Amino acid sequence: MFGFMQSTAPSVAYDPFHAVKMAETGDITVIDIREHAEVQASGKAKGAIHVPLAALRMKADPASPEQLPEFRNGKPVVIYCASGGRSQMAVRMLRQMGLDEVYNLGGLAHWEMAGGAITR
């Protein structure tokens, strides 16, 4: 009945504690997909790249001339938003574009609770 909520793909959740450690060593790329006002109000994860969800397809698509190098470097990409809903949609979109190692961190609060630094 609620088949649209199910996915045959493996879980794309990423452990926030692991993400903080991997980001500190530069082994992952962290992407903040929140809107500019959200980032201004609360800051962002230290080292994260801000790419608003509305611009994500253009900045991540391998066929786009505006693709960011962070989507070409071969590192796993970990995405977060305010609570995890938009980042889950973003993960699905990027996987449909052919990016395999894309994961949902959840929200900025998950990063912070795991000991991740916030920059303003």
Side-chain angles (χ1 to χ4, degrees), residues 32-44 50-54 80-82 86 108 118-120:
D32 181 331
I33 62 161
R34 298 173 302 147
E35 296 299 318
H36 290 286
E38 292 174 282
V39 174
Q40 288 179 335
S42 60
K44 66 181 180 81
H50 180 229
V51 181
L53 182 58
Y80 73 89
C81 60
R86 288 176 287 177
L108 179 61
I118 303 294
T119 58
R120 295 190 185 262

Side-chain angles (χ1 to χ4, degrees), residues 75-111:
K75 294 180 186 178
V77 174
V78 178
I79 299 176
Y80 73 89
C81 60
S83 65
R86 288 176 287 177
S87 52
Q88 182 62 37
M89 290 187 309
V91 166
R92 286 189 194 124
M93 178 179 64
L94 294 177
R95 285 181 170 223
Q96 289 172 349
M97 279 192 254
L99 295 167
D100 294 326
E101 287 197 83
V102 183
Y103 305 96
N104 182 9
L105 178 70
L108 179 61
H110 295 107
W111 172 269

Side-chain angles (χ1 to χ4, degrees), residues 18-40:
H18 188 63
V20 169
K21 288 179 186 176
M22 297 294 285
E24 287 173 355
T25 60
D27 292 327
I28 62 171
T29 299
V30 180
I31 307 287
D32 181 331
I33 62 161
R34 298 173 302 147
E35 296 299 318
H36 290 286
E38 292 174 282
V39 174
Q40 288 179 335

